[in-house]
Amino acid sequence: MTPAKKNGLDYDVMIVGAGIAGMESAALLGDMGYDVLLVEKEPSIGGKSILLSKVFPTLDCASCIVTPKMAAVAHHPKVTPMVYTEVDGFVRDSDGSFTVDLHRKASYVNFDACTGCAKCEQVCTVSLPDEYNYNLVGRHAAHIPYPQAVPKKAVISRQGQAPCTNACPAGVKPSGFVSLVRAGRYEEAFRMHLKDAPLVGSLARACYALCESECTRGSKDGTVHIRAIKRFMADRYYADHPEPEYGPVEKQLETRVAIIGSGPSGLNAAFHLAKAGHQVTIFEAEKQPGGMLRHGIPAYRVPKDVLDRDIKNVTALGVEIKTGAKVGSLSELKKAGFQAIFIGVGNQKPRIIPITGRDLGCTEVRDCIQFLKDVYVNSDLPEFKGKHVVVLGGGNVALDVARTAVRMAPESVSLVCVEPRNQMPAHEWEVGEAEEEGIRILASGSTKRIYQDEQGKGHLEYLDVFRVEFSPEGRMKSFEVAEGTEHDIPADVVILAIGLAPSTDPFAAELALSPGKTIQVNAQTLQTSDPMVFAGGDAVLGPSVMVQAMGQGRRAAFYIDRMLRGESLDAPFGDQLEVVDKKDVLDRTENWETRAPVDVPKRPPHERIQSFETYEFTMSEEQAREESNRCLNCADCSQCQECVNVCPADCIDFSMQPEPKRLRVGSVLLSTGYEIMDPTGKDMLGYGILPDVITGPQLDRLLAPTRPYNGVLRPSDGKEPENIAIVLCSGSRDRTFCNPFCCRIGCMYAIKHAQLLMGALPIADVTIYYIDIRAFGKGYDEFYEQARAMGVNFVKGKVARIEQLENGNMALHFEDMLGEGGMQTREHDLVVLAVGLMPNTAPFDLYKGGELERDAFNYVREVNPVMEPGATNIAGLYLAGSVNGAKDIPDTVLHSGAAATQVSAYLERMRAE
């Protein structure tokens, strides 16, 4: 048993931050025999030092110095590195030890299994700004931080659930297939969609695209046309694969499931149950499968050959569909040996209202379901040529009926609905397209009667509606008409499309139904009053849209599978991530270029009403990829699952959650380092506006052996710079930027850059603009003189502003303090801002047991730098490195050693007491 365990501690000391200071302290304390927990919030230890090119003044390779230290600490028998972990807080206990709350962040990769092969990174379709290269280039959502990472493990950047994915009731992940189309991997995109929902072609045409209504880009420059991208993907796949590529799953179970209804919910439930190995039979009362997709969705939206191909995705798994098989008794199915039943009969009973005068014979009155079935299934087209057709209703079915009727050469088509125009249940875009096709929308109207004129022609009379009351769910509850406001329109045919009722009457004696005839279910599991029976879709929801019905079919399949396997139904279904805040996405993409959506090609209105052919064309490959490129990657990871498919170690786990821990440690050492100042707020210097104005850390990456480019190139055009300016004190000693502190190392850091540039670009001119030069350390003055001897031009002058020139270079305006004097201007093709260092204020939020004192510059206060280096005002809480002020590497190492000694002394005092 270790000394820490003997004392009831998990570790003797916890070190927060694994940069130079943290690693040095950890190694020293480990060598002393203490059990050390080294906590690092990034995926690798090493801190910012591993990202340096070389160190000053010796110009030794930073990687050559830091990497061995990283390896030594990671493999030290007394040191436990805990990367990708955040400390939430800690308090000092009465015995002098500390209770620590922390959590290991979800990396979505099992570090124990990951081999660091980077195959996930190679197939990842999402590019994000690479923070390890200070955003000079992109990295993938699935990534290994950098080549020298310790541990060398992949992590997946995932901010939460993308709004589009969160909006899809069917569980389809638009962000995933859009990213795959963007990458030109169309078959992978289709297969990824197929895992979630098999009716890909139908959804690509008939889905009302709830995902698009939640697209973050909709409030920027127009929503991404997700459904049109899906159609390109589906049409291309079906052209290449007229038959599914798969068959029944290998491991077939003995369990049998009956599904009543072959609409969207039934087909989706069957698909997922068959994938789980169950033997599934669908009972369909009609002669052909598909439910409302076949009987109610117009052919100009979903051609029946597309629906047939979608259904093959289900039957390929071995699902049997029995058509013309109406189920009248659930008990008979149980007797036949089915261990579970899913009811997905939908809403196929039209609501009929009494209309005065319907028996006069002058006007034919039809119901919407029979009308659509006659047109699209029975091929029994009514004769509407030259007739006046009136559709009653304002929902999506009413629009389908009206737009079908207008394709049958009538004299006119009118739609009368109670709701106001802006509150019609139908989607706004479909109402607009109906008006384009010549359909007259008569909103806020209630039917009064049908009457016959003197010529024997039928007319529909209606009244104005002045008030409509809606339920919280948006459904109409009641309305009032204005008497004396009669209007009439010619009406040879009236089609009722005022709503549909569930087709649940056959089950009323065996299941609990609601007053509205929907089946009562458990909201989580969709289990009915009979534990063996589940239900979903319109039979439960009432009128809904296709993806909602499919989502319920998938949910029911999940719980049916658990029930048949003898598992508890008390289990969550689906992803548990919070949806990403759209404002955060828009903030981080504020400077992205505006790109209007690609126009989805359509037939003109006068042409599309001539036939029942689809009027919306498929995007070209170029259009689909261009539109896919508009995706903002709201949640970072798109959930395309390609990393899962290629991982040889099977270590990707998207169900991973943050892992909270509570530990007891003897002491805490803070080595959280510093922050690099963001010069974006200094508009006159052009950072974030001019592409070739970069920061010192960015230049360090350009000069490093693991640089993001193949050479030292300027970002805007990949050209080797020939005239480089380095501007010192860009944010340091600057009270206008709330940073009056001198960072101490900026001068030598810039001179290091100048010397490295002279070596990498021998013919380049390098100018350092400075106020004064601080050369305080050993060999620093010699380093400065060496740079002057190499030809680095030092100009004493304060830079006022930087402007873009027409030739792509920049004009740098400065006050010349030693030369000609006054304001001067010089031209440069790359400008480097030697930005200041800022205090890391995170430690002040970590200590929960009182106030951790800070100094005048917002660093953690070191109470007695001479006698007790590293000590804070909290006994047992110490600090190392630049958490209490900017330091160079030698001073950081020295201070870390002193802090480690202080920690050791404290631990020994505690043990003695």
Side-chain angles (χ1 to χ4, degrees):
M1 183 179 292
T2 65
K5 298 296 184 184
K6 287 181 180 179
N7 290 302
L9 303 174
D10 294 290
Y11 297 93
D12 290 312
V13 59
M14 176 184 72
I15 299 176
V16 185
I20 288 286
M23 293 190 297
E24 182 69 19
S25 300
L28 290 171
L29 286 164
D31 289 344
M32 296 178 196
Y34 297 108
D35 291 318
V36 180
L37 175 66
L38 180 59
V39 179
E40 171 55 52
K41 66 180 181 179
E42 299 298 335
S44 170
I45 62 175
K48 297 181 179 69
S49 56
I50 191 62
L51 303 179
L52 298 173
S53 53
K54 296 182 183 294
V55 297
F56 59 82
T58 60
L59 296 187
D60 290 328
C61 170
S63 291
C64 301
I65 296 171
V66 179
T67 304
K69 178 65 73 174
M70 293 165 66
V73 170
H75 295 95
H76 198 293
K78 301 295 287 183
V79 178
T80 302
M82 190 178 288
V83 298
Y84 218 48
T85 299
E86 297 259 15
V87 175
D88 300 311
F90 54 87
V91 294
R92 187 174 187 270
D93 299 325
S94 58
D95 63 355
S97 64
F98 291 80
T99 298
V100 181
D101 288 309
L102 46 79
H103 69 275
R104 191 190 297 269
K105 296 186 285 188
S107 63
Y108 307 103
V109 176
N110 181 344
F111 278 8
D112 292 335
C114 179
T115 63
C117 67
K119 288 188 176 180
C120 57
E121 188 169 3
Q122 293 163 13
V123 299
C124 183
T125 57
V126 175
S127 180
L128 302 170
D130 184 0
E131 62 270 39
Y132 309 110
N133 279 302
Y134 297 103
N135 300 338
L136 283 169
V137 292
R139 62 160 175 85
H140 291 293
H143 65 289
I144 294 173
Y146 39 81
Q148 315 96 312
V150 175
K152 193 172 183 179
K153 308 290 184 180
V155 295
I156 298 175
S157 298
R158 196 178 182 194
Q159 299 296 328
Q161 193 82 283
C164 59
T165 296
N166 188 69
C168 182
V172 175
K173 301 174 180 64
S175 55
F177 69 74
V178 167
S179 72
L180 285 164
V181 170
R182 175 176 60 202
R185 285 141 67 174
Y186 313 124
E187 293 204 359
E188 291 89 338
F190 180 91
R191 295 188 190 105
M192 181 247 168
H193 187 296
L194 185 65
K195 288 181 181 178
D196 296 321
L199 309 181
V200 190
S202 299
L203 285 171
R205 290 164 168 79
C207 182
Y208 287 113
L210 303 179
C211 53
E212 292 187 14
S213 66
E214 289 298 318
C215 177
T216 305
R217 194 142 197 166
S219 59
K220 186 179 177 75
D221 48 17
T223 183
V224 176
H225 290 315
I226 297 170
R227 186 172 62 81
I229 294 169
K230 182 187 299 188
R231 176 164 176 182
F232 161 79
M233 167 189 86
D235 285 3
R236 187 182 181 103
Y237 182 87
Y238 283 167
D240 293 338
H241 301 279
E243 299 293 330
E245 300 176 272
Y246 53 87
V249 297
E250 289 184 14
K251 188 177 181 180
Q252 290 288 319
L253 304 175
E254 296 298 322
T255 45
R256 299 177 65 206
V257 182
I259 293 183
I260 306 172
S262 65
S265 66
L267 288 169
N268 206 26
F271 177 78
H272 289 284
L273 285 165
K275 283 203 305 179
H278 304 289
Q279 299 178 39
V280 183
T281 302
I282 298 177
F283 295 88
E284 171 55 55
E286 299 291 341
K287 296 179 181 179
Q288 294 176 285
M292 283 294 284
L293 285 173
R294 188 177 299 278
H295 308 133
I297 302 294
Y300 61 79
R301 290 175 65 192
V302 180
K304 302 316 168 191
D305 60 330
V306 173
L307 174 59
D308 291 337
R309 178 61 184 84
D310 278 346
I311 293 174
K312 285 183 179 180
N313 293 334
V314 180
T315 56
L317 290 168
V319 174
E320 180 185 6
I321 301 179
K322 293 185 176 181
T323 56
K326 186 171 183 178
V327 176
S329 169
L330 300 177
S331 59
E332 290 299 321
L333 289 177
K334 295 177 185 178
K335 289 178 184 178
F338 291 101
Q339 288 105 330
I341 301 169
F342 174 77
I343 301 174
V345 292
N347 286 347
Q348 302 223 18
K349 289 180 60 179
R351 297 186 187 276
I352 305 298
I353 58 170
I355 302 177
T356 301
R358 68 176 294 167
D359 299 327
L360 292 174
C362 58
T363 299
E364 178 187 3
V365 180
R366 306 176 63 111
D367 74 73
C368 58
I369 292 297
Q370 191 59 50
F371 168 71
L372 292 171
K373 192 178 293 186
D374 286 345
V375 174
Y376 296 116
V377 179
N378 302 332
S379 299
D380 183 17
L381 268 69
E383 181 54 59
F384 281 2
K385 186 173 183 179
K387 293 184 178 181
H388 297 283
V389 180
V390 179
V391 179
L392 302 184
N396 293 317
V397 174
L399 266 295
D400 287 342
V401 170
R403 297 184 71 183
T404 296
V406 83
R407 285 159 168 77
M408 300 167 68
E411 180 65 25
S412 70
V413 177
S414 302
L415 185 145
V416 179
C417 65
V418 170
E419 300 88 356
R421 174 69 171 75
N422 64 348
Q423 291 182 292
M424 289 174 63
H427 289 84
E428 173 60 33
W429 62 265
E430 185 150 27
V431 177
E433 288 187 351
E435 289 179 319
E436 290 176 357
E437 294 172 357
I439 296 168
R440 186 182 178 194
I441 306 296
L442 302 172
S444 298
S446 174
T447 301
K448 180 178 181 181
R449 64 171 179 146
I450 293 173
Y451 73 90
Q452 189 173 14
D453 66 14
E454 296 176 354
Q455 289 76 38
K457 297 291 186 181
H459 291 256
L460 182 110
E461 188 173 72
Y462 65 95
L463 297 168
D464 289 342
V465 174
F466 70 87
R467 189 188 69 83
V468 180
E469 183 182 359
F470 293 93
S471 70
E473 296 77 26
R475 294 179 179 173
M476 186 177 65
K477 292 175 60 178
S478 63
F479 64 91
E480 295 182 36
V481 298
E483 297 295 340
T485 59
E486 288 82 356
H487 308 272
D488 74 88
I489 50 175
D492 299 311
V493 180
V494 171
I495 305 175
L496 302 179
I498 57 170
L500 302 173
S503 309
T504 55
D505 289 343
F507 316 113
E510 297 176 273
L511 298 176
L513 303 183
S514 72
K517 299 292 187 181
T518 56
I519 300 173
Q520 293 184 359
V521 298
N522 179 290
Q524 174 68 18
T525 65
L526 301 185
Q527 195 173 36
T528 69
S529 55
D530 183 334
M532 286 181 58
V533 181
F534 295 71
D538 292 356
V540 169
L541 297 169
S544 64
V545 294
M546 179 180 173
V547 283
Q548 289 175 315
M550 292 184 69
Q552 290 224 309
R554 184 178 181 183
R555 175 181 287 269
F558 174 80
Y559 288 105
I560 291 171
D561 176 59
R562 292 188 67 87
M563 182 189 73
L564 294 176
R565 294 177 187 272
E567 299 172 352
S568 170
L569 301 192
D570 186 17
F573 169 75
D575 294 325
Q576 305 299 310
L577 292 175
E578 291 187 10
V579 65
V580 172
D581 189 331
K582 293 183 186 179
K583 183 179 182 302
D584 292 342
V585 178
L586 291 171
D587 287 345
R588 75 171 186 250
T589 59
E590 182 180 5
N591 294 326
W592 288 25
E593 64 178 331
T594 299
R595 297 174 64 180
V598 173
D599 289 330
V600 179
K602 297 179 182 178
R603 299 180 193 273
H606 71 276
E607 186 178 311
R608 63 190 187 220
I609 64 174
Q610 304 303 316
S611 72
F612 291 103
E613 292 183 16
T614 55
Y615 66 90
E616 194 175 277
F617 296 113
T618 305
M619 281 181 167
S620 67
E621 180 178 7
E622 180 183 2
Q623 289 174 320
R625 293 191 70 173
E626 181 181 347
E627 185 65 5
S628 298
N629 264 305
R630 297 182 63 246
C631 175
L632 297 176
N633 302 318
C634 295
D636 290 356
C637 170
S638 71
Q639 302 185 64
C640 73
Q641 307 289 307
E642 283 300 284
C643 54
V644 177
N645 297 335
V646 302
C647 179
D650 193 27
C651 63
I652 309 293
D653 180 7
F654 280 108
S655 67
M656 191 177 287
Q657 298 288 322
E659 182 183 345
K661 290 179 179 290
R662 171 165 285 189
L663 303 172
R664 289 193 69 234
V665 298
S667 177
V668 176
L669 177 64
L670 298 173
S671 57
T672 50
Y674 56 86
E675 296 293 335
I676 297 172
M677 195 208 79
D678 179 5
T680 303
K682 297 186 73 66
D683 296 340
M684 300 300 287
L685 298 184
Y687 184 77
I689 302 170
L690 307 180
D692 294 321
V693 176
I694 64 175
T695 65
Q698 288 177 315
L699 179 60
D700 228 325
R701 294 305 304 144
L702 293 179
L703 292 164
T706 55
R707 61 173 66 97
Y709 308 141
N710 289 330
V712 180
L713 310 174
R714 69 178 192 173
S716 67
D717 54 10
K719 168 182 172 289
E720 282 193 353
E722 299 176 355
N723 195 338
I724 304 161
I726 301 176
V727 181
L728 293 187
C729 299
S730 298
S732 290
R733 303 157 71 185
D734 188 345
R735 294 187 180 277
T736 67
F737 211 70
C738 300
N739 188 28
F741 196 73
C742 172
C743 69
R744 298 178 76 234
I745 64 171
C747 300
M748 294 300 106
Y749 190 57
I751 292 173
K752 176 193 79 171
H753 288 154
Q755 291 202 24
L756 294 177
L757 283 169
M758 298 290 282
L761 304 170
I763 63 172
D765 292 325
V766 180
T767 302
I768 292 179
Y769 294 86
Y770 70 98
I771 303 300
D772 48 34
I773 298 293
R774 187 169 186 177
F776 61 90
K778 180 180 178 181
Y780 286 7
D781 185 62
E782 292 87 342
F783 193 52
Y784 163 70
E785 294 295 344
Q786 185 181 55
R788 291 178 61 89
M790 292 175 66
V792 176
N793 184 24
F794 286 83
V795 175
K796 185 176 178 65
K798 183 72 173 176
V799 174
R801 69 183 189 279
I802 301 169
E803 297 174 333
Q804 188 79 59
L805 298 175
E806 291 185 2
N807 62 2
N809 293 341
M810 289 153 290
L812 189 147
H813 303 277
F814 66 99
E815 178 188 7
D816 189 354
M817 297 180 179
L818 289 181
E820 299 178 8
M823 293 300 299
Q824 302 291 329
T825 300
R826 290 190 182 180
E827 183 176 335
H828 297 278
D829 54 7
L830 181 68
V831 177
V832 182
L833 304 181
V835 294
L837 305 184
M838 305 284 285
N840 183 352
T841 58
F844 299 112
D845 296 325
L846 297 182
Y847 185 64
K848 308 297 184 181
E851 183 180 0
L852 179 60
E853 293 181 359
R854 63 186 75 203
D855 66 14
F857 299 104
N858 230 15
Y859 287 93
V860 180
R861 189 174 80 86
E862 194 173 24
V863 293
N864 192 336
V866 177
M867 300 302 296
E868 293 185 84
T872 69
N873 66 301
I874 309 298
L877 175 57
Y878 296 91
L879 48 86
S882 54
V883 70
N884 77 313
K887 296 178 179 66
D888 58 12
I889 292 177
D891 283 352
T892 297
V893 172
L894 185 65
H895 191 261
S896 302
T901 303
Q902 292 291 332
V903 170
S904 173
Y906 178 80
L907 293 173
E908 293 305 316
R909 287 197 301 272
M910 290 300 101
R911 289 179 182 180
E913 293 174 3

